[in-house]
Amino acid sequence: MADYRRGFDSLDREIHEPRLPTEGTLPDWLTGTLIRNGPAQFEVGDQDYNHWFDGHAMLHAFRMGDGRVEYRNRFVKSKSREEALEEGEIVRSEFATDPCMSIFGRVMSIFNPKPTDNAAINVARLEDAYVALTETPIPVRFDPETLETVGVVEFEDNVDVDTSTAHPHVEPETGRTLLHAASFGRQCAYKVLGVAPGEAAREVVAQLGVDRPSYMHSFGMTERYVILSEWPLVVDPLNLLLRGEPFIENFEWQPERGTRFRVLRKSDGEEVATCTADAAFGFHHVNAFEQDGEVVCDIVTYPDATIIDDLYLDRLRSDEPTPGTGHLRRYRLSLDGGSASSTLQSDERLELPRIHDGSATARPYQYVYGVGTRQPGNFTDQLVKIDVETGTAQTWHEENTYPGEPVFAPHPDGATEDDGVVLSVVLDPDEEQSFLLVLDADSFEERARATVPHAIPFGFHGQFFE
């Protein structure tokens, strides 16, 4: 077994390679750029960040066309990073790291909060702006050609929120971007926000008051509804102010609450149904759609929230890592409310799930792609394609390599849902390099790979921009 822990080493090189060495043949129709995001620096001075989610964001761009691959990487120049480098120590609180260790520091952080803009989770396009995202409502703009940071998106509205999902949805029929957000205080609320094409302001599509907000990394969307998955990992808002703990460590697992799915109508913001299920936890919604008077909602789930603890860096760098993968579970939510039925859709484990965003979003679909675990006790060491209708799976693996999130790039004239390629950045720790893998999405067989001259740390999410 190769040492996957190389994927949690910092990368300080920023390079531009006009043409990567390539094996195999890229499809002649494949033209566009895969931009990926993830942490690349896990320490400042003699201080280490605590969690995989906390490292400084770095963007990686693979530009494809005319049978060649160009590569560029660059740190996101966030205030969080710039202040830390200037001070020589961690300055802003992250997901699971809090620099305010003294009582004075904690008190001052209450009255002068500095939310992190370390946008290390995902990338998206908001109209003409390419943005890096994290779970604070501070989208960081970057130039898609050079990856240079160019500022933050300033929304022209008075919407006040403290967190915002790094997994927005784009409505296929309108092009409107939807986000889930939350505000904490004496009165807490979940908010669904919409950004219409050509607009610079967020509108509140729906709002729900809540006493103890749940940690929600993503949400679901159908043609008419938004689905909030209220896992029983909840927070007392006073603890966020007074305990002085990193953000996620204020949340408590309360399985007796079970799971609640809040189904909100997009047209008027009304909650049309609340459905209950057994306690569970999930980071990633896969897809949702309406069928036979129900909302069908597919999510990668875990029995509890200990997966968050498993992703602390000391655990990931130990000799006993978590596989970091869950199971694909389908929930059926009645629009009359009540208990939600649920079924496992496959025995194959997966995480970082992706679908064909163009044809499958908010519609009945057949395929989901993700990373999986082939060898017990290993980190994610294979790619998985699951047929959600039959539960069968196809896999790709190569000994001693570790693939990242698979991103689907469709054939421009594709006739089927899986007519295209799957793109994944794969770490080869023995060679201290990574490569861009191009798989045929139908057969799940390799078509090409392009090798990067350094190892890319394990990242989270990316998008293919045509």
Side-chain angles (χ1 to χ4, degrees):
M1 185 187 303
D3 193 349
Y4 64 87
R5 291 173 293 189
R6 181 70 179 84
F8 299 106
D9 289 345
S10 293
L11 170 66
D12 57 10
R13 298 178 67 194
E14 294 181 323
I15 65 173
H16 174 219
E17 291 287 340
R19 186 164 193 162
L20 294 179
T22 301
E23 301 175 34
T25 304
L26 293 166
D28 56 10
W29 54 263
L30 185 59
T31 301
T33 304
L34 172 68
I35 302 180
R36 290 200 49 75
N37 196 354
Q41 182 171 326
F42 299 101
E43 65 284 316
V44 179
D46 58 1
Q47 293 182 325
D48 292 335
Y49 286 101
N50 293 334
H51 202 277
W52 186 16
F53 295 0
D54 294 341
H56 293 179
M58 177 179 278
L59 300 174
H60 305 264
F62 297 85
R63 187 177 306 279
M64 290 157 273
D66 299 323
R68 59 191 291 177
V69 181
E70 176 185 356
Y71 170 78
R72 186 189 302 270
N73 69 310
R74 183 160 287 180
F75 277 106
V76 175
K77 293 181 180 177
S78 63
K79 294 295 184 184
S80 178
R81 173 173 169 78
E82 291 183 334
E83 291 170 2
L85 295 181
E86 181 178 344
E87 297 292 331
E89 60 183 11
I90 298 170
V91 175
R92 298 198 182 199
S93 295
E94 301 292 342
F95 179 80
T97 302
D98 187 355
C100 298
M101 303 306 293
S102 69
I103 294 177
F104 176 76
R106 292 174 182 174
V107 171
M108 290 306 297
S109 69
I110 293 172
F111 294 102
N112 185 27
K114 300 175 75 174
T116 183
D117 59 348
N118 178 34
I121 303 298
N122 204 353
V123 295
R125 185 160 51 197
L126 293 175
E127 281 301 290
D128 61 343
Y130 289 77
V131 295
L133 301 171
T134 186
E135 292 185 316
T136 57
I138 310 174
V140 179
R141 294 188 61 164
F142 64 89
D143 185 314
E145 299 288 334
T146 66
L147 302 185
E148 183 69 35
T149 302
V150 295
V152 299
V153 174
E154 300 285 353
F155 292 109
E156 298 175 4
D157 57 48
N158 295 316
V159 176
D160 184 21
V161 294
D162 298 299
T163 64
S164 181
T165 181
H167 291 279
H169 286 291
V170 178
E171 293 178 311
E173 63 276 14
T174 68
R176 180 174 64 166
T177 298
L178 295 181
L179 306 101
H180 166 257
S183 56
F184 303 107
R186 184 172 297 174
Q187 294 181 323
C188 300
Y190 302 135
K191 297 176 183 178
V192 178
L193 308 179
V195 182
E199 296 294 326
R202 297 164 297 181
E203 62 170 327
V204 178
V205 176
Q207 179 169 323
L208 285 177
V210 57
D211 292 331
R212 289 179 174 249
S214 169
Y215 173 69
M216 292 185 243
H217 183 78
S218 63
F219 67 104
M221 180 191 72
T222 71
E223 182 181 357
R224 291 183 295 171
Y225 304 108
V226 163
I227 306 96
L228 304 183
S229 50
E230 212 171 18
W231 313 113
L233 182 65
V234 298
V235 66
D236 181 337
L238 285 178
N239 288 342
L240 288 172
L241 290 176
L242 301 177
R243 284 178 59 180
E245 299 290 342
F247 173 76
I248 196 59
E249 293 182 7
N250 293 285
F251 286 75
E252 299 176 352
W253 180 248
Q254 298 182 355
E256 67 277 6
R257 298 170 66 99
T259 299
R260 293 198 305 175
F261 294 97
R262 318 288 292 270
V263 183
L264 311 177
R265 189 164 49 221
K266 291 190 285 186
S267 61
D268 59 10
E270 288 296 313
E271 182 175 11
V272 299
T274 298
C275 298
T276 59
D278 292 340
F281 177 75
F283 286 116
H284 297 117
H285 281 245
V286 177
N287 198 17
F289 55 90
E290 300 162 40
Q291 186 178 71
D292 301 329
E294 296 179 316
V295 168
V296 179
C297 193
D298 291 350
I299 312 173
V300 176
T301 65
Y302 301 83
D304 54 43
T306 55
I307 181 62
I308 294 175
D309 299 329
D310 291 339
L311 300 181
Y312 276 78
L313 287 168
D314 57 357
R315 180 76 61 85
L316 291 169
R317 290 166 170 167
S318 73
D319 293 329
E320 297 181 359
T322 173
T325 49
H327 282 103
L328 179 63
R329 183 170 290 275
R330 171 163 290 184
Y331 293 92
R332 292 188 176 273
L333 313 177
S334 170
L335 294 176
D336 294 324
S339 297
S341 66
S342 74
T343 54
L344 286 181
Q345 294 303 101
S346 176
D347 293 331
E348 198 70 56
R349 299 181 69 94
L350 83 160
E351 240 319 339
L352 304 177
R354 297 299 298 265
I355 61 173
H356 181 160
D357 291 326
S359 70
T361 299
R363 302 181 179 98
Y365 73 113
Q366 189 169 359
Y367 301 112
V368 56
Y369 310 89
V371 296
T373 307
R374 182 181 186 88
Q375 187 174 354
N378 205 0
F379 198 62
T380 51
D381 57 0
Q382 69 176 359
L383 294 172
V384 178
K385 174 188 178 183
I386 294 176
D387 185 325
V388 300
E389 296 178 356
T390 66
T392 58
Q394 298 166 263
T395 62
W396 176 94
H397 79 283
E398 182 172 285
E399 197 71 22
N400 297 326
T401 66
Y402 300 91
E405 176 197 49
V407 177
F408 181 82
H411 190 296
D413 300 315
T416 61
E417 185 183 319
D418 60 350
D419 191 350
V421 295
V422 169
L423 307 171
S424 174
V425 176
V426 183
L427 173 68
D428 184 340
D430 290 341
E431 296 295 326
E432 298 188 352
Q433 291 179 327
S434 295
F435 58 88
L436 175 68
L437 175 69
V438 183
L439 296 182
D440 180 86
D442 178 15
S443 67
F444 227 51
E445 295 179 353
E446 181 174 341
R447 296 196 61 167
R449 65 175 63 185
T451 302
V452 179
H454 56 225
I456 296 176
F458 292 130
F460 298 123
H461 302 290
Q463 306 294 334
F464 180 74
F465 299 104
E466 298 181 66

